[in-house]
């Protein structure tokens, strides 16, 4: 497809902006030497260009999209409409607080609702993503230990089934990471945890459900072991839609949590827009939260907590993502929130059970909102890899699952159907997986070339990595 710079012709254009009637300003030596090379095309050429681009991409509106570890993918339209209201979208962060009382109320209500859902007492909306939230939460843990004179608590324990951002965030926050293995069931090895804790333990970071989609049945024992050793418990709640309305991390012994509003609460992950990774904590940690907490009863205002770790982002975080989350929560209500997680878990288990005769499912157990298939055996027998099956799905109009993640499962495909898919959609996807399995036995070479019906077939990944073309050359 031609790029926008290759379309149109010199002098062609569209007139959206009024004519500039001001005299040109001379910037002297800072002036541009050459004309700026901008595309010049008519309105209909431009419109066609973007329509063509849109047709070449695949999104949740095109069909089933079981990408794992991204949780909700369909965002009800009403949330966007509400976030688009001028009173939310046209405000300025420097505006005086008495003119933005409604927005402060949104932050306050969102804090109350999400604290209720997670069992926490305070929350900050400053962090802009999940990993950013992890970093912020770890700063709270660090500040807590230092405030008590515990300078030796430098280690964060991270099970190997944790999300990859967990150890990275711990290092960023200045901790040492202690990795502990999982058991055969894919959950935390309690003996390894007991051996790992000690006087130098700052805390544990637990991704739950973990990256193989399993809820750790020993969760209360795990948090007790860490507390008894003097550490704090951090809950990676990026995938909260498996448990929201069912159980609360705050009731399971966790002191700090982050959420991904852009995964669970009305902003799809990877939607191309801003994210929000709020951090919730128990009351004893609230004095360390980053700047600008909403306070007050009648007249609301921003307040810096007494021993704040400082700001982690400019202003108040990505406010409109919070508006969408609150709209989603209020729209669903208590029952709706619980129902959404039940359906997410039911849909994943329905698919896993239907597919387990053909495909190996990693770690049998209580799958939650997603499950991981291992295609290691299939690859040994037929040569067809996880990549081949994922690409094959595209020819049937299905977006591939997450591939080769988590790393502890070989030839992994991580499938997350989500709560919004109907039984018919799931049945059709199951049928496609069955067909591909069959094809892997009978004509494996065809699958090595899939997809054949998409605008781009199989890109040369090695070339893309070794010789990437990152700039457009006008010559
Ligand atoms: C997605 C995810 C993260 C990271 O969130 P980002 O917003 O992408 O930084 C952390 N933990 C888990 C379990 C996740 O699924």
């Amino acid at each position: 497809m031609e790029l926008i710079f290759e379309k149109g012709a010199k002098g062609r254009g569209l007139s959206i902006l009024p004519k500039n009637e001001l005299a040109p300003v001379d910037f002297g030596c800072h002036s541009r030497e050459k004309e700026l090379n901008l595309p010049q095309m008519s309105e209909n050429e431009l419109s066609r260009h973007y329509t063509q681009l849109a047709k070449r991409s695949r999104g949740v509106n095109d069909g089933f999209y079981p990408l794992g570890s991204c949780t909700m993918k369909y965002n009800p339209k009403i949330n966007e409409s509400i976030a688009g209201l001028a009173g939310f979208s046209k405000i300025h962060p420097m505006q005086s607080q008495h003119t933005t009382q409604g927005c402060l109320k949104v932050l306050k209500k969102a804090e109350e609702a999400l604290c209720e859902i997670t069992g926490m007492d305070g929350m900050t909306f400053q962090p802009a993503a999940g990993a950013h939230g992890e970093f912020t939460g770890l700063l709270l843990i660090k500040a807590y230990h230092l405030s008590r004179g515990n300078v030796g608590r430098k280690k964060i324990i991270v099970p190997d089934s944790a999300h990859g951002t967990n150890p990275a965030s711990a290092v960023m926050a200045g901790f040492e990471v202690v990795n502990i293995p999982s058991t055969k069931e894919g959950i935390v090895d309690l003996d390894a945890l007991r051996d790992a804790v000690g006087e130098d333990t700052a805390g544990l970071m637990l991704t739950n459900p973990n990256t193989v989609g399993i809820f750790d049945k020993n969760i209360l024992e795990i948090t007790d072991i860490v507390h008894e050793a003097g550490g704090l418990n951090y809950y990676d709640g990026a995938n909260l839609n498996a448990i929201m309305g069912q159980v609360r991390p705050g009731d399971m012994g966790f002191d700090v949590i982050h959420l991904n509003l852009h995964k669970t609460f009305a902003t799809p992950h990877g939607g191309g827009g801003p994210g929000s990774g709020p951090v919730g904590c128990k009351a004893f940690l609230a004095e360390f939260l980053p700047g600008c907490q909403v306070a007050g009863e009648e007249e609301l205002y921003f307040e810096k907590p007494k021993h704040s770790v400082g700001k982690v982002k400019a202003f108040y975080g990505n406010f409109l993502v919070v508006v969408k989350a609150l709209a989603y929560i209020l729209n669903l209500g208590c029952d709706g929130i619980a129902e959404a997680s039940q359906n997410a878990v039911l849909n994943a288990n329905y698919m896993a059970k239907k597919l387990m005769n053909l495909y190996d499912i990693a770690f049998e157990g209580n799958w939650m909102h997603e499950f991981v298939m291992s295609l290691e055996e299939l690859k040994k027998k037929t040569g067809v890899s996880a990549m081949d099956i994922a690409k094959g799905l595209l020819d049937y109009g299905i977006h591939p699952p997450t591939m080769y993640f988590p790393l502890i499962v070989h030839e992994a495909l991580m499938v997350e159907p989500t709560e919004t898919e109907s039984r018919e959609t799931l049945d059709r996807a199951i049928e496609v997986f069955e067909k591909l399995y069959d094809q892997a036995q009978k004509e494996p070479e065809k699958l090595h070339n899939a997809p054949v019906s998409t605008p781009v077939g199989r890109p040369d990944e090695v070339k893309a990595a070794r010789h990437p073309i990152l700039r457009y050359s006008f010559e």
Side-chain angles (χ1 to χ4, degrees):
M1 186 176 153
E2 277 177 306
L3 299 181
I4 197 164
F5 293 102
E6 293 157 354
K7 292 182 175 172
K10 206 166 161 45
R12 201 174 289 167
L14 54 147
S15 44
I16 293 174
L17 299 177
K19 263 216 157 14
N20 178 10
E21 285 165 354
L22 300 174
V25 181
D26 186 5
F27 289 106
C29 66
H30 301 295
S31 297
R32 196 178 286 285
E33 285 170 7
K34 279 193 289 187
E35 263 298 273
L36 196 58
N37 205 343
L38 293 174
Q40 303 189 34
M41 51 177 32
S42 62
E43 183 173 314
N44 72 338
E45 282 175 307
L46 186 66
S47 180
R48 280 180 193 153
H49 179 74
Y50 283 107
T51 305
Q52 278 167 12
L53 275 180
K55 280 187 181 159
R56 290 167 72 94
S57 66
R58 171 154 286 277
V60 74
N61 289 330
D62 295 299
F64 190 45
Y65 203 110
L67 193 68
S69 202
C70 288
T71 58
M72 75 167 296
K73 268 143 281 197
Y74 182 74
N75 170 23
K77 303 285 180 264
I78 184 164
N79 305 314
E80 298 294 332
S81 320
I82 290 173
L85 293 175
F88 295 133
S89 62
K90 297 266 190 302
I91 51 163
H92 191 280
M94 304 285 263
Q95 219 166 301
S96 66
Q97 285 174 18
H98 78 272
T99 66
T100 54
Q101 285 294 304
C103 296
L104 275 104
K105 201 163 166 189
V106 164
L107 288 172
K108 190 171 173 180
K109 273 192 152 309
E111 179 175 358
E112 284 166 6
L114 290 167
C115 280
E116 172 69 27
I117 290 171
T118 55
M120 294 289 159
D121 304 312
M123 187 165 282
T124 171
F125 292 104
Q126 270 220 315
H132 196 189
E134 290 167 24
F135 173 72
T136 309
L138 288 162
L139 291 187
L140 301 186
I141 293 178
K142 193 173 182 177
Y144 167 78
H145 288 309
L146 290 180
S147 76
R148 294 160 53 99
N150 280 328
V151 290
R153 294 200 175 267
K154 291 198 163 136
K155 292 190 177 161
I156 292 284
I157 300 166
V158 182
D160 65 0
S161 59
H163 195 265
T165 50
N166 290 187
S169 301
V171 171
M172 288 272 294
F175 289 106
E176 261 172 66
V177 175
V178 181
N179 218 287
I180 55 166
S182 300
T183 63
K184 284 196 303 295
E185 295 166 279
I187 57 179
V188 171
D189 184 331
L190 291 179
D191 290 332
L193 178 61
R194 282 195 197 94
D195 287 345
V197 295
E199 303 246 295
D200 54 0
T201 301
L204 164 86
M205 286 182 95
L206 197 74
T207 302
N208 187 64
N210 63 19
T211 52
V212 284
I214 289 176
F215 189 104
D216 203 306
K217 64 181 181 189
N218 301 320
I219 200 134
L220 296 176
E221 224 171 325
I222 292 171
T223 54
D224 273 350
I225 292 171
V226 176
H227 275 161
E228 271 160 28
L232 298 185
N233 289 301
Y234 184 100
Y235 191 98
D236 180 333
N239 299 316
L240 202 80
N241 45 350
I243 65 152
M244 62 184 185
Q246 314 296 329
V247 285
R248 310 192 312 166
D251 300 335
M252 298 188 273
F254 288 90
D255 308 292
V256 192
I257 182 175
H258 87 263
L259 305 174
N260 276 33
L261 298 188
H262 55 289
K263 272 188 185 173
T264 307
F265 295 99
T267 298
H269 189 234
S276 176
V279 171
C281 65
K282 290 285 185 170
F284 73 96
L285 290 170
E287 60 180 305
F288 303 113
L289 284 170
C292 56
Q293 289 299 105
V294 177
E297 288 300 327
E298 285 296 302
E299 177 89 7
L300 302 176
Y301 53 92
F302 285 116
E303 185 180 68
K304 189 169 163 192
K306 206 159 81 208
H307 298 112
S308 172
V309 295
K311 285 194 167 188
V312 294
K313 190 181 185 304
F315 301 113
Y316 321 111
N318 286 324
F319 174 65
L320 292 177
V321 183
V322 183
V323 176
K324 283 193 267 183
L326 183 62
Y328 182 71
I329 292 167
L330 294 178
N331 195 19
L332 285 182
C334 289
D335 294 345
I337 292 278
E339 208 182 317
S341 67
Q342 282 165 1
N343 286 338
V345 172
L346 178 64
N347 282 357
N349 280 267
Y350 179 75
M351 273 193 84
K353 287 262 152 66
K354 290 268 187 179
L355 288 174
M356 64 190 292
N357 316 335
L358 296 182
Y359 293 92
D360 294 328
I361 313 282
F363 306 112
E364 262 194 56
N366 300 320
W367 303 304
M368 299 300 289
H369 59 301
E370 63 192 355
F371 62 93
V372 181
M373 316 202 274
S374 169
L375 278 66
E376 202 174 9
E377 281 305 309
L378 186 74
K379 188 174 176 192
K380 264 191 216 145
K381 266 194 261 156
T382 66
V384 168
S385 65
M387 171 79 89
D388 294 334
I389 295 287
K391 298 289 184 191
L393 288 166
L394 280 165
D395 280 327
Y396 292 93
I398 294 178
H399 190 282
T402 294
M403 300 183 286
Y404 299 103
F405 180 83
L407 302 177
I408 51 175
V409 178
H410 296 146
E411 291 297 319
L413 283 184
M414 182 186 227
V415 181
E416 180 169 18
T418 77
E419 70 286 351
T420 42
E421 297 300 345
S422 66
R423 168 119 185 232
E424 300 87 85
T425 306
L426 300 181
D427 283 337
R428 193 179 157 263
I430 290 161
E431 226 172 83
V432 172
F433 269 106
E434 288 166 353
K435 266 191 201 154
L436 291 172
Y437 182 86
D438 201 43
Q439 199 176 0
Q441 320 291 326
K442 291 182 186 142
E443 38 188 17
E445 65 292 339
K446 271 207 172 153
L447 274 173
H448 297 321
N449 296 323
V452 293
S453 60
T454 50
V456 176
R458 230 185 256 209
D460 182 343
E461 294 189 357
V462 176
K463 195 169 168 202
R466 299 278 153 79
H467 306 286
I469 302 169
L470 302 175
R471 309 177 69 174
Y472 179 69
S473 163
F474 284 101
E475 274 76 53

